[in-house]
Amino acid sequence: MIQQSVAEQKRQRLFLVLCGIFLTNALIAEIIGTKIFSVESLLGINPAQIPIGGTKLDFNMTAGVVNWPVVFITSDIINEYFGTKGVKRISYLTAIFIVYTFLTIFVATKLPPAQFWLDVNSTDSHGNHFNINDAFNKIFNQGLGIMIGSIVAFLLGQILDVFVFSWLRKRTGSKHIWLRATGSTMFSQLVDSFVVLTIAFYIFGNWDMKQILSVGSINYLYKGSVAILLTPILYIAHYFIDGYLGKEYAEELAHHAAHDGEVL
């Protein structure tokens, strides 16, 4: 009885830690995702100008891709040990917090700026006139489109990821972790990468479809590559979790998760 109680406590702690990592990185990715950066400029090389589909693509990506790999890995680990119900619960909770975050930011953009704040930030680093309140609103007040695009893409991507992961697990059992983790990510992010950009920046924004295809394709290429490269980390995480929970209990959890066992 004591051993079971200790095991259950460890299980709950693990779930809380994984959910915290998932939620934090998903929120950060959504907030910083409005910035588009140039990979070529980051590496100090010329634009790629890759000819695809009648247009030329450069390596431009949303800043949110910095955190999304952590979300991928955490989602797969939660699915592995706590089943589809575990992933769906934290995904729905995260979606609610994303809405709350964007609504809070929207309210913040409507607050009147203090004059001293405008004065002390009246010039940029080159001495040019600068209105920090306009910049703040410009960055964050893309609100509605980004919020709708983010929520739809996030939930759709997570549902697809859970479905594909579970489908592959039922056919591979406890083997081939790399296949179900990478396969589910590659499939779900194909949808996610284009849905969020289309809704946020095409329907509600001022991008054309060439920009959507360019940034979406590069984002997906990056996410797919990272999903493959981070596969060893997934195995390392499994090793430490099995050690923390105990090999036998961890396998029992994974077995119940494969059959949609309850999380808590």
Side-chain angles (χ1 to χ4, degrees):
M1 182 65 70
I2 295 177
Q3 289 298 320
Q4 184 180 10
S5 176
V6 171
E8 285 298 314
Q9 288 177 10
K10 286 185 175 182
R11 182 189 191 211
Q12 291 179 16
R13 290 193 199 104
L14 175 63
F15 186 66
L16 288 174
V17 169
L18 291 174
C19 287
I21 295 172
F22 181 97
L23 175 60
T24 300
N25 282 277
L27 279 176
I28 293 174
E30 296 293 351
I31 293 172
I32 67 176
T34 55
K35 179 171 183 176
I36 308 298
F37 72 97
S38 168
V39 177
E40 291 99 336
S41 295
L42 179 65
L43 299 177
I45 59 178
N46 294 324
Q49 291 288 285
I50 303 172
I52 298 178
T55 186
K56 294 183 178 181
L57 304 184
D58 294 330
F59 284 89
N60 299 316
M61 299 190 294
T62 65
V65 300
V66 174
N67 293 84
W68 276 120
V70 181
V71 178
F72 302 156
I73 292 178
T74 310
S75 178
D76 290 336
I77 294 174
I78 293 174
N79 205 339
E80 186 74 18
Y81 290 99
F82 300 96
T84 59
K85 293 179 181 179
V87 179
K88 286 180 180 179
R89 287 176 182 177
I90 185 57
S91 296
Y92 295 148
L93 181 63
T94 300
I96 293 172
F97 275 104
I98 290 173
V99 173
Y100 175 76
T101 298
F102 278 117
L103 289 176
T104 303
I105 289 173
F106 175 77
V107 171
T109 63
K110 300 304 179 183
L111 297 175
Q115 187 58 48
F116 87 90
W117 182 59
L118 296 176
D119 293 339
V120 299
N121 296 287
S122 60
T123 58
D124 61 19
S125 58
H126 300 288
N128 300 313
H129 176 71
F130 179 70
N131 188 314
I132 192 171
N133 191 58
D134 286 347
F136 183 91
N137 292 343
K138 184 70 173 178
I139 292 171
F140 289 114
N141 211 18
Q142 300 177 54
L144 181 62
I146 291 178
M147 184 176 74
I148 294 175
S150 297
I151 294 300
V152 172
F154 175 77
L155 287 178
L156 184 59
Q158 282 301 113
I159 290 172
L160 288 173
D161 187 271
V162 167
F163 174 79
V164 176
F165 188 97
S166 299
W167 185 83
L168 289 171
R169 179 168 55 189
K170 288 177 181 179
R171 283 153 181 77
T172 60
S174 60
K175 301 178 180 179
H176 307 304
I177 296 174
W178 65 270
L179 178 60
R180 53 182 177 270
T182 305
S184 61
T185 298
M186 295 290 285
F187 185 78
S188 64
Q189 291 311 306
L190 177 62
V191 176
D192 178 273
S193 295
F194 292 96
V195 168
V196 64
L197 294 175
T198 300
I199 295 176
F201 297 112
Y202 182 75
I203 296 177
F204 287 92
N206 56 4
W207 289 22
D208 58 34
M209 283 308 299
K210 287 186 177 180
Q211 290 172 310
I212 298 295
L213 291 173
S214 175
V215 177
S217 298
I218 298 304
N219 280 353
Y220 178 66
L221 178 62
Y222 167 82
K223 291 175 181 178
S225 300
V226 168
I228 295 172
L229 292 174
L230 292 183
T231 300
I233 295 180
L234 191 62
Y235 280 90
I236 293 172
H238 274 267
Y239 173 81
F240 281 106
I241 290 174
D242 288 353
Y244 175 69
L245 296 175
K247 183 70 174 178
E248 184 176 341
Y249 186 60
E251 290 179 352
E252 181 183 342
L253 279 183
H255 175 74
H256 285 301
H259 296 84
D260 292 329
E262 289 290 340
V263 179
L264 296 172

